[in-house]
């Protein structure tokens, strides 16, 4: 197995012949030049003046004989540039050892120190005698802090003046070609996994531009200006990233991003005026930690409960100043207020699905009122009620959204009586129908807006096989969904159960993301055939489709489809899903991602299949939201299925319709491209 194969096998979660070893492919795994000279001496290798590629940290290029000695499997792309002697100048390390430094980053001697200048001539870094590295001494935005000067200011920070190879060799109008040619030649002569260090720093660049104290005060005290800076910086990074990947993408195996975001602990905080466009605010204090939590907006403050030992409150506009209340809130909990009391429901583990309820008048002293929910009828034994949300859904009914670790997100509809502190279950349903925490919905959060609209959102989990196939807990937020009670009964069958007690639709505000609509109508779909819709392509789209199943036994769409069909995600309706006593009104809706991705790191997953009631002669009405790796399917206001897809091919953007068992008809389809909510991704809209 070659070094490159070994690294790629490891990254794809397959067993290599041995563990891959890294030394010097990143600054964090490199070695100081003074130490490198001593390492070569210990290894019995001849002395060579080390080439210092990172002048700031005084890091040495690790040469081939050392890489071979340790069986190193990786190498940094910069080692393929500045290979000629003319690119290097003799210098001396702080301990007196002769070395070489890049010809474009030669320090200047001043009294008692070495200094470095930017191209403007300004001194930006210094290394006093007795010090082992350069330190920044000029912060271009420290005085006026104007983000409009960002591009100019970036040329006057220490790291711009002291770039490592390829450095300025890749600048200018021919820079992209020189970068691509150098990376291609380097790949041809090494079998090590090549790491391309891009950077993309945000927080660190804020420190370099403003100075640490100024930047931290900017983040805490002027978030609007901080967001302006971060948005501008991200836009610059995205443009540079397209240039970088366009040149070296085919020739590198790994791309490295670097930053110290300081987000190892703490909880995120974001705000939105329309539930579509979100703005990140400063992280909550790290002392507020624990398991799943929810918030309640009181008259004059916000109350946050987390699973653990405390409740926190904040009343300032940015929710930065938190007061902590030491309360044994226990497991996953939900807090709300009615009348004179605050109520807290928390998971109660056992054979039945249970919630304990507590009440308090001041958030400090709590009294247990027993079991608010105790259901052993609707759910299987051992089904927990984690991440609970209790919401007024109208008509005197309440909705409990929750997550169970054996069956995923679920819900109850019933009556909440706070006089007796008991919830009476009338209806129960599921939000997913397949493997739990594997590319589908996870924990819910919900609220009732000022207009009485009940809104729910969920995590959408990753679907990657890692850690011996346990997967990862990372995820993103689903689209906000309007939750409501239907005005008609659906599918009452043998057991007299309501098939869709909870109705679900995407919120109206999402329509503002639409642009470039394409409309198609009256397309006959022959039996057992698939029709490509060449006018409809995209990775970020909303599809509105009306399909008359006709005589078909299965009908549907295929999205994120490559021209050869090697990658495709199938959305289909099965007409003969249920037999007696349901008759013909109970169908099944499916998302199938078994052929969605060629990426071997994507976990194998069975399709998501949920019931869907259709009245006699009622067509299938779909709203399908596609966002690159996420597919959310809303059907007839009664069902919603969500899965991750992960297409890998550039041309996996197609859409088709198909029918099996009989002829069907695509009555209409409108495809809207979707605008990004991130300004830095504006250039990628419609791609």
């Amino acid at each position: 197995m070659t070094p490159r194969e070994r690294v790629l096998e490891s990254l794809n979660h397959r067993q290599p012949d041995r563990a891959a070893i890294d030394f010097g492919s990143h600054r964090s795994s490199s070695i100081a030049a003074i130490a490198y000279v001593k390492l070569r001496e210990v290894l019995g290798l001849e002395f060579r003046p080390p080439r210092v590629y990172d002048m700031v940290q005084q890091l040495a290029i690790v040469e081939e004989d050392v890489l071979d000695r340790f069986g190193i499997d990786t190498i940094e792309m910069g080692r393929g540039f500045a290979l000629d002697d003319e690119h290097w100048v003799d210098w001396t390390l702080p301990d007196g050892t002769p070395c070489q430094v890049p010809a474009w980053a030669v320090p200047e001697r001043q009294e008692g120190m070495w200094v470095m200048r930017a191209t403007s001539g300004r001194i930006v870094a210094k290394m006093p005698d007795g010090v082992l590295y350069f330190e920044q001494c000029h912060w271009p935005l420290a005085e006026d802090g104007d983000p409009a000067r960002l591009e100019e200011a970036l040329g006057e920070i220490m790291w711009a003046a002291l770039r490592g190879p390829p450095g300025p060799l890749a600048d200018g109008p021919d820079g992209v070609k020189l970068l691509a040619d150098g990376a291609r030649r380097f790949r041809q002569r090494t079998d090590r996994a090549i790491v391309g260090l891009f950077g993309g720093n945000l927080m660190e660049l804020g420190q370099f531009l403003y100075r640490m104290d100024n930047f931290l005060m900017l983040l805490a005290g002027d978030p609007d200006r901080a967001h302006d800076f971060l948005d501008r910086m991200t836009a610059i990074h995205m443009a540079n990233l397209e240039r970088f990947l366009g040149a070296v993408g085919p020739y590198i195996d790994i791309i490295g991003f670097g930053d110290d975001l300081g987000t190892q602990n703490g909880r995120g905080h974001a705000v939105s005026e329309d539930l579509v466009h979100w703005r990140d605010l400063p992280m909550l204090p790290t002392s507020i930690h624990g398991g799943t939590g929810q918030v309640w907006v009181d008259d004059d403050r916000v109350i946050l409960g987390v699973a653990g030992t405390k409740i926190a409150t904040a009343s300032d506009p940015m929710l930065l100043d938190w007061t902590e209340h030491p309360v044994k809130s226990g497991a996953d909990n939900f807090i709300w207020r009615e009348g004179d009391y605050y109520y807290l429901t928390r998971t109660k583990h056992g054979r039945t699905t249970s919630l304990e309820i507590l009440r308090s008048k001041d958030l400090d002293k709590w009294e247990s009122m027993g079991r608010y929910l105790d259901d052993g009828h609707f759910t299987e034994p051992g089904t927990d009620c984690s991440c609970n949300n209790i919401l007024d859904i109208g008509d005197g009914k309440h909705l409990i959204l929750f997550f169970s670790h054996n069956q995923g997100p679920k819900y109850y509809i019933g009556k909440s009586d706070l006089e007796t502190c008991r919830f009476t279950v009338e209806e129960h349903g599921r939000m997913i129908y397949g493997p739990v925490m594997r590319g589908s919905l996870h924990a819910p959060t919900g609220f009732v807006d000022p207009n009485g609209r009940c809104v729910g959102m969920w995590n959408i989990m990753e679907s990657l096989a890692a850690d011996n196939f346990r997967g990862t807990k990372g995820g993103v937020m689903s689209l906000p969904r309007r939750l409501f009670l239907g005005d008609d009964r659906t599918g009452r069958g043998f057991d007299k159960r309501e098939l869709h007690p909870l109705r679900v639709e995407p919120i109206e505000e999402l329509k503002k993301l639409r642009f470039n609509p394409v409309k198609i109508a009256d397309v006959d779909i022959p039996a057992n055939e698939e029709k490509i819709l060449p006018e409809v392509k995209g990775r970020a789209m909303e599809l509105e489709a009306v399909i008359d199943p006709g005589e078909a036994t299965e009908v549907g769409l295929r999205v994120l489809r490559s021209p050869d069909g090697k990658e495709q995600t199938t959305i289909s309706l099965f007409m003969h899903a249920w037999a007696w006593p349901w008759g013909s009104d109970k169908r099944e809706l499916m998302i199938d991602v078994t052929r969605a991705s060629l990426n071997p790191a994507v976990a194998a997953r069975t399709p998501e299949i949920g019931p869907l009631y259709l009245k006699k002669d009622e067509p299938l009405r779909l709203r399908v939201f596609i966002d690159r790796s996420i597919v959310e399917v809303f059907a007839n206001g009664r069902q919603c299925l969500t899965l991750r897809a992960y297409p890998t091919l550039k041309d996996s953007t197609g859409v088709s319709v198909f029918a099996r068992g009989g002829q069907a008809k695509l009555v209409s389809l409108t495809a809207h491209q979707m605008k990004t909510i991130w300004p830095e991704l504006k250039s990628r809209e419609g791609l």
Side-chain angles (χ1 to χ4, degrees), residues 396-422:
K397 304 292 181 67
H398 278 73
L399 170 69
I400 299 181
L401 299 176
F402 67 101
F403 175 80
S404 67
H405 288 81
N406 61 347
Q407 288 190 320
K410 311 183 87 171
Y411 64 85
Y412 290 114
I413 296 171
K415 292 184 178 180
S416 176
D417 183 351
L418 293 182
E419 291 293 327
T420 61
C421 289
R422 298 294 181 267

Side-chain angles (χ1 to χ4, degrees), residues 387 402-403 405 408-409 437 440-444 458-461 473:
C387 313
F402 67 101
F403 175 80
H405 288 81
M437 298 178 69
S440 58
L441 299 185
H442 175 221
W458 286 258
N459 295 338
I460 302 176
M461 303 297 290
K473 291 188 71 174

Side-chain angles (χ1 to χ4, degrees), residues 45 55 67 92 103 110 133 148 262 287 317 331 344 437 475 513 557 580:
L45 301 175
M55 287 295 290
L67 296 177
T92 304
Q110 290 193 354
Y133 52 86
S287 60
L344 183 150
M437 298 178 69
L513 296 178
L557 302 171
W580 184 90

Side-chain angles (χ1 to χ4, degrees), residues 139 142 206-208 210-220:
W139 295 267
Q207 299 163 26
F208 301 148
Y210 288 91
R211 202 175 62 210
M212 174 74 82
D213 55 340
N214 291 330
F215 187 58
L216 292 179
M217 287 190 290
L218 179 71
L219 292 174

Side-chain angles (χ1 to χ4, degrees), residues 503-514:
R503 306 301 174 87
V504 55
E505 291 180 346
I507 62 169
E508 191 71 14
E509 291 90 332
L510 293 170
K511 291 182 178 179
K512 66 178 65 176
L513 296 178
R514 295 172 171 179

Side-chain angles (χ1 to χ4, degrees), residues 489-508:
R489 304 292 289 179
T490 61
R492 291 183 64 83
F494 184 71
D495 60 358
K496 305 304 180 186
R497 301 260 16 123
E498 168 70 84
L499 193 56
H500 298 293
L502 181 66
R503 306 301 174 87
V504 55
E505 291 180 346
I507 62 169
E508 191 71 14

Side-chain angles (χ1 to χ4, degrees), residues 633-687:
V633 179
F634 296 81
N636 295 72
R638 302 187 186 113
Q639 184 59 273
C640 181
L641 302 180
T642 303
L643 279 184
R644 302 295 290 263
Y646 304 107
T648 63
L649 303 176
K650 290 183 178 180
D651 54 2
S652 292
T653 58
V655 175
S656 68
V657 292
F658 70 93
R660 294 177 59 190
Q663 182 171 313
K665 185 170 190 170
L666 178 63
V667 178
S668 65
L669 183 143
T670 303
H672 306 272
Q673 298 297 318
M674 291 186 69
K675 298 175 184 177
T676 178
I677 66 170
W678 309 110
E680 62 272 16
L681 296 179
K682 186 74 175 175
S683 63
R684 300 184 64 82
E685 283 182 352
L687 299 179

